[in-house]
């Protein structure tokens, strides 16, 4: 790699200012998708450029960064993005949720509850919750402006009519501050309740689709449902095989080719801390 | 004496050199059904689309009296207000049912959509309303979860009607509602429509080239030719005793059954 | 005993090292030089410059080397590099009428001022594989005729416009859009559309252009002119009060003449489509012109029925850097969402079985 100097966190100051303006608009209108002029980044569209641009715009030299993908710090894309910021911003990085001030995530919300001084940055592939019902941007823009969301419940109705249950298991649509319908990014619906009344600032970046949206701290976030078919959190039949947790999202691991399976915490930091605590207890 | 439900004044539209509508005016009272008849090219469909706000007029006004008694001009209404009106107080039955339905959504979902748009959040109640309406439009109850792609033309039209009437609108626009259907299917559908219009006290603006449909469904009639109103009045009077030569021609051209 | 997978960092490092090794390949073979790519694979360089929206031959050639010949990967490299460059301003519009022509053909007239200049083209070659090219050749420089100054070669569309037979392009009064600064919004203006098409994927636009010829939005095109050569790029400098030349760029310009259209208050005129690319990418310039015309359906009251006429569809999917990113991102882990789906599916199947058992 050449010794070329980069601006702090790669983006030039003008670009960061432009992104921050978009973030401010997003925070002022919770759940509303603010268009922004996303830049080409050194990683491909679809691999987190939106999240990276948001993080680059808000991160400072004293921040501590954690990056996770599927809940784990060690997955290849999380490693790659963490290395990117270590190189271009020189910030301290961590795998511990409690120590981080900025957390960039793909497809999961950390199990450890977040605090007021933290920022959670989500990577978003498709920001538009109505997209699968209406492919046209001109039409979905009008629907949001006029709060015409009946068609979202039509989708849920169809699920119940066909399967007896609402069939959306991730990227489950929510209503923010009673106004905008928002796609929380492809987090499992298990994580939806964590968005509601969260003390941390939640920012969502979609690079390819060029949209930023936000949930300010302590904002109401309600998952769409019917009165007689209320939103249900996923329950697992087993506990984590490593730490015994029964309240975290579990990954299924195939252990052999005769049907052997085990379930382990998706949030690696959460699991390791619990394991460390168990060992300490056992030692005492 | 309250204002009419709908007051159209001097509505005009040109497409290039063609005058599709020349200064059309009429009034419609609550619960009244008006048929606009003419051959193709008469401007009747353009007129319907302008009144319903689907096509901008070149000149003229359309005044609609809201439930609160206040008359609003459609031309200056915001997009949001117009769309809300479309969902709650108005209906639009298209000639091609596929245009007025969500073809990849079940019949229940189609009927329930307006209820859900208005904030109904109880699945059981929505389903029950949809079931109820399916019965009222004489579609077998076991077709509730089927998509209209599996429906016949006549059934799709019935579904379209149910989808529109579920919010008890005050004014329904119909564009050749029985066009393209077999004669026997048409007859049953017209019978159903006549019953519902009377039962619900609907005001209707109906565009058709079929004088028999006009006679069966409407109280008053406008006869159009090349963008102008040739004759108007009570449907029975105009069809039994046409005054204008063009109307006489239309009436006499209808093949005797 | 199963142990959680770790070592992602080491795996990535090793993958990078392996990539560098296969990129170099057989050490006995000479390493490919950037000069060779620029000179002898010039058309690949041209394409990378166009779709990266960056005129820098050397950089494009280097990107092709780094990308091991994967042109879209090279375009991505160049595009990402472009983002880091400082911007001084916008160049003056290129005066293609003043082009130093290397090639100039017109299908609408047999002969015309400036003539038909074939230039270096594959057009009339027989596509027979030339096995002589396998071994280095001693190709002598060709004899060249002494040439006086280039005869005047006015643009064909200007010639047709003199008789008012073709719609006139109007100078834009409003500020010109910049899709690299503002996100594309629909409906898009023609400036934003042409910018998007200029960097659009050649294959995608070629397919769409082909579809219009086969009836999906047919608009009866004729090539009024294709010209390829050098034009001066100039920058207006405020402090000096005049435009200064920055250097020459090679571009290919394609002007299409399409079916004539009249309105109630205007006599019929030919309509047009426009294509402009860096280098000698004729296929792309022509495809761009055909799609440009198709997307102007609204201007002429044409019904938008075909994919090439659908602005949102064409402009949202023409950028191959975006497209490849999103398509290839499916390789990233998605096991959490898949787990959520599995859980639901298993539950639905259990309920289905219970129902069947009960019957």
């Amino acid at each position: 790699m050449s010794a070329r100097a980069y601006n702090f966190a790669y983006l030039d100051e003008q670009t960061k200012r432009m992104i921050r303006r978009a973030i401010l608009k997003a925070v002022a209108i919770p759940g509303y998708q603010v268009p922004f002029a996303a830049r080409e980044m050194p990683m491909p569209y679809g691999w987190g450029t939106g999240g990276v641009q948001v993080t680059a715009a808000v991160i400072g030299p004293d921040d501590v960064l954690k990056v996770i993908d599927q809940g784990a710090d060690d997955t290849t894309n999380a490693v790659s993005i963490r290395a990117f910021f270590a190189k271009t911003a020189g910030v301290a990085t961590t795998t511990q949720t409690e120590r981080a001030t900025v957390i960039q995530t793909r497809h999961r919300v950390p199990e450890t509850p977040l605090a007021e001084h933290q920022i959670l940055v989500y990577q978003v592939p498709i920001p538009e919750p109505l997209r699968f019902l209406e492919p046209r941007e001109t039409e979905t823009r009008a629907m949001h402006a006029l709060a015409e969301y009946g068609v979202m419940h039509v989708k849920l109705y169809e699920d119940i009519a066909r399967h007896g249950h609402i069939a959306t298991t991730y990227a489950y649509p929510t209503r923010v501050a009673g106004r905008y319908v928002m796609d929380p990014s492809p987090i499992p619906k298990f994580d939806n309740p964590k968005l509601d009344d969260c003390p941390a600032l939640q920012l969502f970046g979609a690079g390819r689709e060029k949209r930023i949206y936000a949930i300010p701290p302590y904002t109401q976030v309600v998952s769409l449902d019917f009165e007689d078919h209320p939103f249900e959190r996923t329950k697992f039949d087993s506990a984590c095989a490593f730490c015994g947790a029964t309240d975290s999202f579990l990954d299924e691991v195939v252990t052999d080719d005769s049907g052997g399976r085990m379930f382990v915490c998706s949030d690696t930091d959460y699991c390791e801390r619990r394991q460390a605590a168990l060992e300490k207890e056992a030692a005492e | 004496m309250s204002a009419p439900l709908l007051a159209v004044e001097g509505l005009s539209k040109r497409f290039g050199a063609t005058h599709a509508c020349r200064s059309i005016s009429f009034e419609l009272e609550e619960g009244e059904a008006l048929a606009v008849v003419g051959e193709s090219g008469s401007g009747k469909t353009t007129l319907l689309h302008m009144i319903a706000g689907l096509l901008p007029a070149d000149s003229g006004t359309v005044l609609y009296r809201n439930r609160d008694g206040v008359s609003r001009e459609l031309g200056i209404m915001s997009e949001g207000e117009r769309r809300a009106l479309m969902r709650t107080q108005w209906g639009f039955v298209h000639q091609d049912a596929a245009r007025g339905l969500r073809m990849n959504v079940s019949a229940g979902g189609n009927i329930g959509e307006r209820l859900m748009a208005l904030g109904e959040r109880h699945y059981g109640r929505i389903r029950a309303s949809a079931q109820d309406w399916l019965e009222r439009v004489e579609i077998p109850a076991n077709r509730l979860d089927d998509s209209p792609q599996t429906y016949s033309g006549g059934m799709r039209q019935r579904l379209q009607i149910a989808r529109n009437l579920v919010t008890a609108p005050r004014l329904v626009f119909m564009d050749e509602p029985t066009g393209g259907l077999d004669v026997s299917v048409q007859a049953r559908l017209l019978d159903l429509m006549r019953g519902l219009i009377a039962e619900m006290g609907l005001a209707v603006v109906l565009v058709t080239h079929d004088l028999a449909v006009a006679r069966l469904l409407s109280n008053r009639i406008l006869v159009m030719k090349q963008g102008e109103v040739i004759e108007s009045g009570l449907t029975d009077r105009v069809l039994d005793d046409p005054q204008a030569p063009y109307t006489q021609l239309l009436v006499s051209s209808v093949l005797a059954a | 005993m199963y142990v959680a997978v770790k070592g992602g960092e080491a795996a990535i490092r090793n993958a990078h090292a392996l990539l560098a090794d296969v990129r170099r390949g057989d050490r006995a073979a000479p390493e490919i030089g950037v000069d060779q790519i620029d000179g002898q694979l010039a058309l690949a360089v041209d394409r990378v410059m166009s779709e990266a929206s960056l005129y820098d031959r050397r950089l494009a050639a280097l990107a092709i080397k780094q990308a091991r010949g994967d042109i879209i990967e090279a375009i991505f490299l160049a595009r990402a590099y472009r983002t880091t460059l400082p911007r001084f301003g916008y160049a003056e519009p290129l005066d293609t009428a003043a082009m130093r022509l290397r090639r100039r053909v017109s299908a609408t007239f047999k002969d015309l001022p400036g003539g038909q200049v074939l230039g270096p083209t594959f057009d009339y070659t027989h596509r027979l594989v030339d096995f002589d090219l396998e071994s280095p050749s001693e190709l002598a420089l060709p004899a060249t005729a002494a040439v006086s100054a280039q005869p005047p070669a006015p643009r064909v569309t200007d010639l047709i416009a003199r008789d008012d037979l073709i719609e006139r392009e109007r100078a834009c009064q409003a500020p010109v859009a910049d899709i690299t600064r503002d996100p594309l919004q629909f409906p898009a203006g023609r400036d934003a559309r042409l910018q998007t098409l200029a960097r659009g994927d050649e294959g995608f636009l070629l397919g769409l252009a082909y579809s219009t010829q086969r009836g999906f939005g047919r608009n009866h095109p004729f090539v009024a002119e294709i010209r390829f050569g050098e034009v001066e790029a100039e920058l207006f400098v405020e402090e000096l009060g005049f435009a200064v030349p920055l250097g020459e760029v090679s571009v290919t310009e394609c002007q299409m003449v399409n079916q004539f259209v009249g309105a109630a208050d205007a006599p019929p005129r030919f309509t047009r489509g426009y294509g402009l690319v860096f280098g000698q990418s004729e296929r792309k310039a022509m495809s761009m012109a055909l799609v440009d015309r198709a997307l102007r359906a609204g201007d002429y009251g044409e019904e938008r029925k075909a994919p090439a006429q659908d602005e949102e569809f064409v402009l949202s999917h023409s950028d191959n850097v975006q497209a490849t990113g999103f398509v290839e991102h499916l390789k990233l882990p998605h096991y959490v969402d898949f787990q959520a789906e599995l859980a639901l599916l298993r539950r639905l199947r259990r309920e289905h079985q219970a129902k069947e058992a009960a019957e």
Side-chain angles (χ1 to χ4, degrees), chain A residues 126-176:
Chain A
I126 305 268
E128 179 51 69
L130 304 169
R131 186 60 68 226
F132 67 102
L133 289 163
E134 178 50 69
R136 311 202 150 260
E137 165 70 18
T138 41
E139 184 56 26
T140 52
R141 228 175 32 224
M143 289 163 85
H144 280 293
L146 304 170
E148 272 181 23
Y149 294 129
V151 74
M152 286 249 55
H153 275 91
V154 169
K155 196 268 174 192
L156 300 180
Y157 172 99
E158 290 295 286
D159 282 351
I160 299 172
R162 202 172 305 151
H163 305 294
H165 300 279
I166 294 172
T168 307
T169 60
Y170 59 90
Y172 193 104
T174 58
R175 193 136 197 195
V176 181

Side-chain angles (χ1 to χ4, degrees), chain A residues 96-118:
Chain A
Q96 294 172 50
T97 307
E98 283 170 347
R99 278 197 55 221
T101 57
V102 178
I103 302 169
Q104 181 167 331
T105 177
R106 177 168 173 268
H107 297 190
R108 284 268 9 245
V109 178
E111 304 291 355
T112 311
L114 300 174
E116 277 180 8
H117 69 287
Q118 293 179 308

